[in-house]
Amino acid sequence: MATTARIETKDRGPVVGMQEFLAQLLADEEIGAVLVPMHLQQGGTPMPTLVTDPAELAQADPLAPAFPLNGARMVGRLTHGRPGEKIAAVMRPCEVRAFIELVKLNQGSMDELVIIGVDCLGAYKNSDYFALLGEDDPIQTTLAFLGKTGGTKATARNGYDIARACRVCEFPVAEGADIQVGLFGVNFDDGLPVAAYSVRGEALLSRLGLAEMEPLASREQALREAVATRTALRDAVFKEVSAKTGSLKGLSQHLAGCVNCYNCRTACPVCYCKECVFLTDVFDHKPWQYMSWAKQRGMLKLPSDTVFFHLTRMAHMSTACVGCGQCSNACPNGIEVMELFRTVAAKTQAGFDYEPGRSLDEPPPLSVFHKNEFPEVAPVE
Amino acid sequence: METQVLEHEAPQVTGGVGFEPTIVAFVCNWCTYTAADLAGTSRMIQQPNLRLIRMMCTGMVDPKYILKTLLSGADGVLVSGCHPGDCHYINGNYKARRRVKLLGDILTQFGVDPRRLKLTWVGASEGNEFAETVNTMIDDIRALGPMEARSLKVL
């Protein structure tokens, strides 16, 4: 078991404590840059920022309850090919899991990366975060969200709650990270527990020379409770969506607000195609084709192929869906995309006994096959 | 006007008595297509509800083809290729099996009966087997009734 060290927060609070920890990482000879969410403009949302100068870290806010985009794709860009120096990336659990999927698809690499995974208390959807933030100082907003002890403060504030994706997420811990920072059940005056879970993480952490601390029983307890609550909410969502979309008519109804903007696909960290087929000539239909479809049913909604698009996306990425909820975050029309895709993903992932982000050693289900499998689909001979 | 068009284009859409299903079959060039040919030249009795699409391999049947087919008025889709171990391209049929498995999991979530998507292995010499597979599937789908997507105006 890895030793647990302490990120000091006394008199500085958890955000400044994290900033100092990141500055220490930058000072390490092996680390060339850190990637961390940072407040860049007043009224904006903290964006993943690649920082090489520790003096720039004053607005870094790895604990902000904001999640403008899933950073897995960004980390993929930074590591696909050789950065030449190691990057320490601060990531949420769903970002880590999505990134592991991208690495398996050769769209990112672990080679020159140290993942700093932070316990996830959840985040507001973009529009809600802006509304909550108003004119306030963003770091004060983060501190108010965190409260005194991680995971104990109600997440609903001023009528806004964290995104539903976060409320139903049963993965609050960044399991695949090299270094984990704990927040759940942690009294923020006592420092943040930080522990390494890989050889490179262990080596890096030991070089920082942080004070040791006992692993917190309160964290384990708080995590157990959070997972139980979130899993129950998740199952309720599955039930609700399954009941509503038990037919193609129900599915079409669920997607009634869809205008085929494909934002969900753009925001999805595991929609891995470099060029989406729905933007290619395959869907560049001729006018006579539309006329023919319209005549078949007496009418044709435009843009066409809405249900087809979503079903195709399910076929492409549902086995890799990490439930980060960026699809719902990006939807301009409030469609419950995350709810729909998580429900389908639960089924397709169970079908292949696959859990995205669980292990680099498990190949994506559609990239392999075995001779004797799925006799219910076609007989094994 | 609308109903006229419907009656003209898709007379079976109402289902019930007299419903004749439309089934689209994606068959591989090397095995099942040859078997279909054999079934035909051997004058085996086959019901005329099947539309064959010859592919080079079931491994190139993109899930999109199946989804589009089922959303566009087919009542069932048959994917049929070489027996395991006989694939002309070594393993395309195994890949097809995973894709059909995946699609089955997705489609049943939305109330599509799993019998509407079928994967079989029919070798080049198995004309009998082909005719039987086709007739059985057509009977099954006829009993199931029309695919829901046929009656939906907005998809």
Side-chain angles (χ1 to χ4, degrees):
Chain A
M1 184 64 196
T3 47
T4 304
R6 184 203 315 272
I7 295 173
E8 294 298 340
T9 54
K10 194 106 190 118
D11 306 325
R12 5 168 143 53
V15 174
V16 175
M18 279 301 288
Q19 289 174 356
E20 289 177 1
F21 173 65
L22 295 174
Q24 278 180 289
L25 288 178
L26 266 182
D28 186 88
E29 57 185 15
E30 208 181 44
I31 302 295
V34 296
L35 181 73
V36 60
M38 199 141 101
H39 299 291
L40 302 170
Q41 330 240 21
Q42 178 60 40
T45 176
M47 295 296 285
T49 308
L50 190 65
V51 182
T52 53
D53 181 355
E56 299 291 346
L57 285 169
Q59 288 302 309
D61 189 358
L63 309 180
F67 188 30
L69 49 90
N70 190 309
R73 188 63 69 68
M74 300 300 118
V75 179
R77 283 192 190 185
L78 292 173
T79 58
H80 184 60
R82 300 222 151 249
E85 291 169 89
K86 269 205 176 131
I87 294 170
V90 183
M91 298 171 88
R92 290 180 185 276
C94 57
E95 295 179 303
V96 177
R97 290 185 300 125
F99 182 67
I100 288 173
E101 290 306 295
L102 292 181
V103 171
K104 291 188 223 176
L105 296 162
N106 200 23
Q107 295 190 8
S109 159
M110 295 281 187
D111 290 350
E112 293 187 274
L113 181 70
V114 181
I115 299 177
I116 316 292
V118 183
D119 279 3
C120 188
L121 302 171
Y124 299 91
K125 62 184 241 200
N126 289 354
S127 50
D128 291 353
Y129 180 74
F130 292 133
L132 262 181
L133 182 60
E135 300 291 308
D136 298 347
D137 176 65
I139 291 184
Q140 289 306 319
T141 304
T142 300
L143 291 172
F145 169 78
L146 291 171
K148 291 267 173 248
T149 305
T152 54
K153 193 166 173 191
T155 49
R157 292 179 60 208
N158 305 349
Y160 299 105
D161 203 349
I162 55 171
R164 202 174 186 195
C166 303
R167 277 179 277 149
V168 305
C169 172
E170 73 276 37
F171 297 98
V173 176
E175 298 286 0
D178 297 295
I179 292 175
Q180 279 181 23
V181 178
L183 297 181
F184 272 92
V186 175
N187 181 335
F188 294 132
D189 290 332
D190 297 344
L192 307 177
V194 54
Y197 289 86
S198 71
V199 175
R200 80 183 96 181
E202 188 82 61
L204 177 59
L205 202 54
S206 65
R207 284 202 301 275
L208 298 184
L210 301 173
E212 283 192 18
M213 73 186 276
E214 285 296 307
L216 294 171
S218 63
R219 177 168 178 249
E220 300 302 321
Q221 173 69 21
L223 280 171
R224 262 198 305 278
E225 285 167 14
V227 170
T229 314
R230 291 171 172 200
T231 306
L233 284 172
R234 177 202 69 182
D235 292 343
V237 164
F238 288 172
K239 230 171 136 182
E240 180 195 314
V241 173
S242 294
K244 275 202 296 193
T245 61
S247 63
L248 286 173
K249 189 174 174 48
L251 174 63
S252 178
Q253 182 65 47
H254 191 86
L255 300 168
C258 182
V259 293
N260 290 35
C261 70
Y262 305 148
N263 279 6
C264 48
R265 181 212 61 201
T266 308
C268 181
V270 294
C271 230
Y272 51 81
C273 299
K274 290 291 183 184
E275 184 183 26
C276 178
V277 67
F278 281 84
L279 295 186
T280 63
D281 287 354
V282 174
F283 286 85
D284 196 6
H285 306 303
K286 294 285 175 274
W288 60 263
Q289 180 74 76
Y290 290 112
M291 289 301 290
S292 156
W293 285 330
K295 281 178 184 164
Q296 264 176 33
R297 291 173 208 252
M299 56 180 269
L300 175 70
K301 176 187 82 71
L302 292 172
S304 58
D305 293 320
T306 304
V307 169
F308 184 28
F309 164 71
H310 289 282
L311 286 174
T312 302
R313 218 166 80 76
M314 285 168 197
H316 281 190
M317 51 56 72
S318 70
T319 55
C321 176
V322 295
C324 68
Q326 286 299 343
C327 44
S328 284
N329 199 6
C331 180
N333 296 332
I335 298 169
E336 296 186 341
V337 195
M338 175 283 295
E339 289 85 339
L340 176 65
F341 276 70
R342 273 216 73 179
T343 304
V344 173
K347 199 166 161 190
T348 56
Q349 290 169 12
F352 290 100
D353 189 21
Y354 185 76
E355 187 188 300
R358 180 166 57 189
S359 162
L360 276 171
D361 302 326
E362 289 177 49
L366 275 265
S367 70
V368 287
F369 54 84
H370 302 292
K371 211 171 159 188
N372 296 314
E373 61 180 3
F374 308 125
E376 74 281 9
V377 177
V380 173
E381 295 174 6
Chain B
M1 186 64 202
E2 196 170 77
T3 41
Q4 277 175 359
V5 170
L6 276 176
E7 279 168 10
H8 172 68
E9 295 290 331
Q12 315 95 327
V13 80
T14 46
V17 182
F19 164 68
E20 283 301 325
T22 302
I23 292 167
V24 173
F26 296 96
V27 296
C28 97
N29 174 61
W30 305 98
C31 290
T32 308
Y33 187 84
T34 312
D37 213 15
L38 179 61
T41 50
S42 311
R43 306 208 168 192
M44 288 168 184
I45 307 290
Q46 297 173 66
Q47 302 176 63
N49 303 59
L50 197 77
R51 314 283 187 274
L52 275 186
I53 298 178
R54 176 163 63 159
M55 313 288 287
M56 289 312 287
C57 179
T58 50
M60 64 174 289
V61 180
D62 190 302
K64 278 192 297 297
Y65 304 163
I66 297 172
L67 291 172
K68 180 72 180 174
T69 307
L70 287 173
L71 292 175
S72 306
D75 300 293
V77 168
L78 172 67
V79 180
S80 188
C82 307
H83 285 273
D86 287 352
C87 178
H88 192 79
Y89 305 100
I90 302 169
N91 52 32
N93 47 4
Y94 292 131
K95 294 171 183 163
R97 181 165 59 190
R98 284 216 158 199
R99 289 180 195 139
V100 169
K101 154 78 180 158
L102 174 73
L103 282 178
D105 285 350
I106 293 172
L107 288 169
T108 50
Q109 179 69 26
F110 305 113
V112 178
D113 192 285
R115 285 168 288 183
R116 292 191 190 276
L117 173 56
K118 190 169 180 168
L119 173 69
T120 57
W121 325 119
V122 175
S125 61
E126 298 173 319
N128 280 329
E129 178 80 20
F130 180 79
E132 195 191 315
T133 301
V134 166
N135 285 329
T136 311
M137 183 164 181
I138 293 169
D139 290 342
D140 285 352
I141 305 290
R142 189 182 288 116
L144 269 178
M147 171 84 183
E148 189 199 356
R150 276 178 176 250
S151 60
L152 295 178
K153 300 258 177 188
V154 183
L155 276 170

